[in-house]
Amino acid sequence: MMVVLICTTVATFDEREQTMTRRWGIMGTGIIAHAFAEAIRAEGGSVVAVSSATPARAQRFAAAHGIPVAASPHGDLLRHRDVEVVYIATTNERHHLDAHACIAAGVPALVEKPFALHAPAARAVLEAASTAGLFVAEAMWTRLQPATQRLHAELASGVIGEPTAFQASFGVVLNSDPSRRWRSAALGGGALLDLGVYPATLAHDLLGPASRVQATGQLADTGVDLNVAVVAEHERGSATWRCSFIEASGVWATVAGADGHIWIGEPFHHAPSLTVHQRDQPVRHLPIDGHELGYRYEVREVHRCLDAGLLESPTLAHADTLAVLEMLDEIGAQLGVLRPKLAPVTS
Ligand SMILES: NC(=O)c1ccc[n+]([C@@H]2O[C@H](COP(=O)([O-])OP(=O)(O)OC[C@H]3O[C@@H](n4cnc5c(N)ncnc54)[C@H](OP(=O)(O)O)[C@@H]3O)[C@@H](O)[C@H]2O)c1
């Protein structure tokens, strides 16, 4: 009897430990996966497995971060029962497949942007997650950034009146090697999915869904978009923005209303400051504490949602992910962007 009691006490302690430390798996070993592994650790989570298409890359990543399991191919990560939640940081054309694999294995997932190559693929993932009763979200970190939260608070206070105009640029010159993922149609590359998703998301969040979009741009020999300029009519105003791999036009954004405008400091998707230009008032420069925590807000939000038993983050809402992808689908169609035929979901 004495032995049974001791065992019960130990098991209860172990269970409590497990709920305190979320055990992540990471699919993908690229630049962002490294940064996210650090963010998980900084938020008190642990990474228990990583996967790559290539065993050696998985092993290198595991060694660099002290991760016990290096899996390959990606699907093998889900054989490890220790994995409680997966961060998907594979190349864009795989996001929906990797998300479906997580759902089939009963594991919640945070999926890098773009959530899928197009809205129908994203909708299928969201429906599967809903049917399975599993949490899934797009890793759109901009929505969780303190600058974005402060921007919404400033706008809600009415300092610039109703926001009706959004302008932004996300132009960074990247390596032009056609085999790099951002230049590859097969890997779901292109400026729109890599960079344009950020201004499209902020325009959507500030002005509501887009009802009409007009785009012009330039394609690479590989068929992906290099340079895109967009004018969009939204529910509550209009947006003009551009994204580019070939113009160093900066990573800035501004939102305006009848009483002023707010400049979102560069880089606007994780801004270090806001500057409020209110009509007839002194300019207010607002440094943003905590912007340097970067991806940690996403880890925190996933932990919070899982702890609360939520299937959807209110800040990373499914409907917003879909609406933004629908806008990008329309822009891509207008430009004639080449997208790979998506592999069928087999699970
Ligand atoms: N939220 C953000 O701030 C942010 C920033 C950048 C990118 N992203 C998103 O995150 C995803 C990954 O982007 P990333 O910048 O991390 O991409 P990346 O560094 O190019 O790596 C992406 C994948 O490409 C493969 N890869 C990397 N190096 C390779 C090599 N030398 N040879 C062959 N394959 C190689 C790896 O596949 P294996 O996994 O199979 O090894 C890796 O997972 C994309 O969907 C992107 O849109 C998000």
Side-chain angles (χ1 to χ4, degrees):
M1 184 63 185
M2 186 66 175
V3 172
V4 171
L5 278 176
I6 289 167
C7 286
T8 305
T9 306
V10 170
T12 306
F13 177 73
D14 280 349
E15 280 163 18
R16 207 178 305 139
E17 283 284 286
Q18 283 168 7
T19 57
M20 287 195 300
T21 304
R22 289 285 177 186
R23 300 182 305 273
W24 289 75
I26 296 181
M27 288 184 171
T29 57
I31 294 166
I32 200 70
H34 282 284
F36 206 84
E38 296 299 335
I40 290 170
R41 184 163 301 128
E43 284 300 311
S46 65
V47 184
V48 296
V50 62
S51 65
S52 167
T54 307
R57 281 210 304 275
Q59 282 154 17
R60 270 202 303 275
F61 190 100
H65 294 278
I67 299 168
V69 173
S72 184
H74 290 292
D76 278 5
L77 180 115
L78 295 162
R79 292 170 186 248
H80 295 276
R81 304 319 305 171
D82 257 7
V83 174
E84 251 185 320
V85 53
V86 170
Y87 168 60
I88 297 174
T90 50
T91 41
N92 295 346
E93 89 295 353
R94 294 192 51 100
H95 288 180
H96 74 297
L97 285 180
D98 294 327
H100 275 294
C102 289
I103 292 163
V107 180
L110 178 70
V111 185
E112 256 309 340
K113 42 64 53 174
F115 188 76
L117 284 193
H118 49 58
R123 193 173 292 111
V125 171
L126 295 173
E127 283 170 5
S130 165
T131 303
L134 284 171
F135 174 89
V136 69
E138 180 182 27
M140 178 42 76
W141 64 318
T142 301
R143 290 197 167 111
L144 297 161
Q145 287 295 306
T148 310
Q149 305 284 328
R150 181 68 188 265
L151 176 66
H152 285 300
E154 289 289 330
L155 294 174
S157 77
V159 284
I160 63 162
E162 284 298 319
T164 52
F166 174 79
Q167 294 177 71
S169 157
F170 203 139
V172 288
V173 176
L174 296 182
N175 188 313
S176 60
D177 177 350
S179 68
R180 300 301 283 265
R181 71 168 178 80
W182 47 84
R183 290 267 182 158
S184 159
L187 298 179
L192 206 49
L193 292 180
D194 242 81
L195 311 178
V197 65
Y198 289 109
T201 293
L202 205 47
H204 167 88
D205 289 2
L206 296 175
L207 302 177
S211 52
R212 207 147 50 93
V213 177
Q214 192 66 47
T216 183
Q218 188 180 343
L219 303 185
D221 291 345
T222 57
V224 305
D225 49 303
L226 294 177
N227 210 14
V228 182
V230 174
V231 181
E233 200 170 293
H234 289 255
E235 202 171 76
R236 297 186 294 277
S238 61
T240 53
W241 53 266
R242 55 194 304 127
C243 59
S244 181
F245 285 156
I246 55 172
E247 286 173 350
S249 54
V251 186
W252 55 265
T254 180
V255 56
D259 295 329
H261 66 277
I262 300 179
W263 174 264
I264 308 165
E266 290 203 51
F268 76 83
H269 60 316
H270 52 121
S273 65
L274 300 176
T275 307
V276 181
H277 298 259
Q278 187 179 4
R279 205 149 51 101
D280 304 327
Q281 296 293 325
V283 172
R284 278 189 299 135
H285 183 70
L286 309 173
I288 302 293
D289 288 340
H291 75 277
E292 66 284 354
L293 298 188
Y295 304 109
R296 287 177 58 176
Y297 295 103
E298 291 174 279
V299 178
R300 248 178 238 180
E301 179 64 358
V302 172
H303 287 178
R304 188 188 74 79
C305 289
L306 295 180
D307 288 349
L310 300 180
L311 301 187
E312 179 175 358
S313 156
T315 317
L316 305 171
H318 296 171
D320 295 331
T321 291
L322 277 178
V324 170
L325 274 175
E326 279 165 1
M327 189 185 346
L328 299 185
D329 287 352
E330 171 60 25
I331 296 168
Q334 287 183 18
L335 298 178
V337 172
L338 187 62
R339 297 262 183 259
K341 196 169 174 328
L342 293 186
V345 177
T346 50
S347 55

